[in-house]
Structure formats: C-alpha cells, structure tokens
Amino acid sequence: MVAGPSGAARAASPCAASLCVLNASAADALYVHPGSIHVTGDILVNSTNSQAALVSGATTVTAAGGTIGGPAAPAGFATSGGGSYSPAPTNQAAGTDPYAALAQCPAASACPTTPAAPYPAVNHISGNQTISPGVYTSITNLNGTLTLNPGTYVVTTGITISGGKLNGTGVTIYLACPTYPTACGPLTLGAAFTDQSGGKTTLSAPTTGAFAGFSIIADRNNTAGVSVSGNGTWITGGGTVYTAAGKLSASSGGKASFTRAVVDSIETSGSNSSQISVIPNTGTMSISLPTAASLGAAAPGGTISAALGQVTVSDGRGLATSTWTATVAATNFTTGAGTPAQTITTANVSYWSGPATSTNGTVTVTPGQSDASAKQALNSSRSAFSSTGNGNSTTSWTPALVVTIPAGAAAGTYTGTITHSVA
C-alpha cells in the first residue's frame, strides 16, 4: 500500500506509464541537468524523496498526451535555472514493477544455452562482422559495423560501442553478471551497455517469444545500467529497455530512444542536446495540425505575415530506416462570392516552415524553408519538412504564411485552407 496526499491508503498496481522510474527513495531519481526527456504518454516517478525529480537548466521534461507524477509530486518535483515540466506534476500513487513476473535468463525460453563457460568475447575493430545469439563475456565495437543475427545475446561483463555501429533486427540484449548462469546478487554491478564517441546502435526487438518487444533487459539486481554519451552518438532501441536496478542516462549530446522504459533512475546531463525519448510503437505515422489561425489585416497592396501554429509529425512505425516528407498546399483565399476582385490566389500566398521547434528520437530533420528569406509561393505543393533516421520519433515546427494582398482586392474577410500531409 502507498499513502495518498491526505494520508489515505491506496493500493499499488503495476506501473502502466511509458516511462516508469522505479526507485522508491532516491533523490533526483529523474534528473535533467541539462538535456531533455520527452515521453509520449505518462511519466511515473516512484521515489518518495523530498526531491524525487529535478529539472535544471532551460529545458523541459515532457509527457506528450500524458501525465507526470508520483507520490512526491508536486512539491518533490523540483526545478532550477528555468527548468520545467509539461504538464505540471500531479500527486499519483507509486506503481510496482510491471515486469516483475518476467522470467529472466537462463530460465526464460528465449535465453541461449550455448556456448558453455568460459564464454567468448567479441572485439570488433574494423570492417563488417556478423555474430549469432549466445552467451558472451563482452561485446566491443570500435569501428566498422557489427551485426547481430536475430535472437537473445547474454553478456556477462558489458557491451561497449565506441565509434562503430551495432545493428540488429529481432534482437534482445540481456545484461547479466560474471556469475552467470547464476543470477546477480543483490545490488551487483554487472554488465553495462555503453555507447560513446560516435557509436551508433540501431536495434529492433523480437515480435514473438518470451522477450517479444524487449530490446534491452538487465538482471533485476544489476545496477550497471545503459548509457549513451557524445554528440553524434545514439541508441535506437526499437523496443523496451528494462533495467530495474540500473540507470538509463544520456550525456554530452548523446541520444537514446526506446518504445518504453522501466528503469531504476533516469538522467540527462552535460549538454542541452542530450536526450532520452520514449515513444511507444504504434505502427503508424500521423500529423497533427492547428485547427485555425487568424492572420490579421492589411490594406490592398500590403502584406500580412503570421504564424499558423504548431505542426507535429509523430512516427511510430519503428523502422530501422525511417524517412518521411511533409508537404503543404493551399487553396485561394476568397471573400463574398469569390469574384476575381474577391480572390487572393495561391501565387500571393507564401509559406516558410522555419526550423524544428522540437525533435525527439534519433533522426535528422530538414526544414523546407529555413527562414523567411526562403519562403515559397503555394501555387503548387511544397516540401514543408523532411526527416531521415531510425526508430520512432516526433518532430514539430511552427510555420508562417506571408500573404500579399493585390492592389485591387475588395475589402472583406478572406478565408482559405492550408493543408499539410506526410508520407
């Protein structure tokens, strides 16, 4: 049982949030200093510490379409230096580990049984190499591309990707301890997953079997955790990361993206570009748009320039190679009966996207028109934004219209339609 804000008892249930931070007592169990954490869905922080969460620096922890909370909220969710939460934290009951009943290695049917100890180590330093599921002492990639065939990879001392690429489809990585196949003892520092110095990890989780949907699983007593560090370094999990006793962290510009995260604690640090994204795999791509915008007024022969509101593309397809292009088109703007004098044609309506206002996931995005000087008339369909990368992502921008009013235009209120689409 856990206590509510008035002291009333509330039964604890398994955490259903997209991001579950399990530690029950730690200070700064969720810690941003700086960087960003962006979650599609809910964020739940179990800690009852008087400072269970801290966002430091001009950045925001975001739960898009969801809630942020825990038993220490709202008072225990601190900010400094301009940090914020969106939405504001609310008091919520702690949640139990949703995967507490998940069979772990070597008991789970998805776990490899070979080779026997002593387990081999992989030290890849150049070119291309492919390995198969099994038990390994360590896996290291310093350069080139290391590809994992589908299946489960048990690692007893650690994985380090440092400058190289690690790719795997239908893969689960299991972080064990040197005592394997004996489970880790309580609060044991076992195998860590470390991606650094430009390393690039792109995984997709298996869709069937005991570990379906899981990209990284740690022994429940393994405190080592999962980390990504350095500009141009990323982990695209393509599934759930589950490390009940370890930290998920991003530092110095590193980016990590998963479809769900159930972790002991979570931290971003060292750079505003350090980022952890948790975006559930919906299998679909969608675009959200402002419903209406008023552009203001001007006399014939004048111009109007105004922002339309935020446009967001959400890509939940979970693809290893994911690209999309958003396009924009317009109708003529008319008033009254739409006579020639009551029509502002699309040749007089220009659009510019501006830069991305928010990007989450391991993607590179390109605006169709970076600033007002690059504006384009909407007398034909135009590219508004494009993206290339991998895994799930969200990208937002706030475009603007520039309308030139013909000198002979009749007075009136003109309306038209701006249409965005994505494919």
Side-chain angles (χ1 to χ4, degrees), residues 97-99 102-103 151-152 170-174 203-218 237-243 258-260 262:
D97 181 352
Y99 301 126
L102 179 72
T152 302
V171 164
T172 300
I173 293 172
Y174 185 91
L203 305 174
S204 70
T207 57
T208 60
F211 291 157
F214 287 89
S215 288
I216 300 175
I217 299 172
T240 295
V241 55
Y242 173 44
T243 173
F258 294 92
T259 62
R260 194 183 189 194
V262 177

Side-chain angles (χ1 to χ4, degrees), residues 22 36 47 71 113 144 148 181 186-188 235 242 254 284 323-324 332 346 380 390 397 400:
L22 298 177
S36 65
S47 177
T113 58
L148 306 181
L187 300 180
T188 297
I235 300 173
Y242 173 44
T284 62
T323 62
W324 55 257
N332 291 335
T346 53
S380 63
N390 50 69
W397 67 97

Side-chain angles (χ1 to χ4, degrees), residues 6 14 44 67 98 101 140 146 170 185 216 226 253 256 296 318 394:
S6 63
L44 180 66
T67 64
T140 302
L146 181 62
I216 300 175
V226 176
T394 63

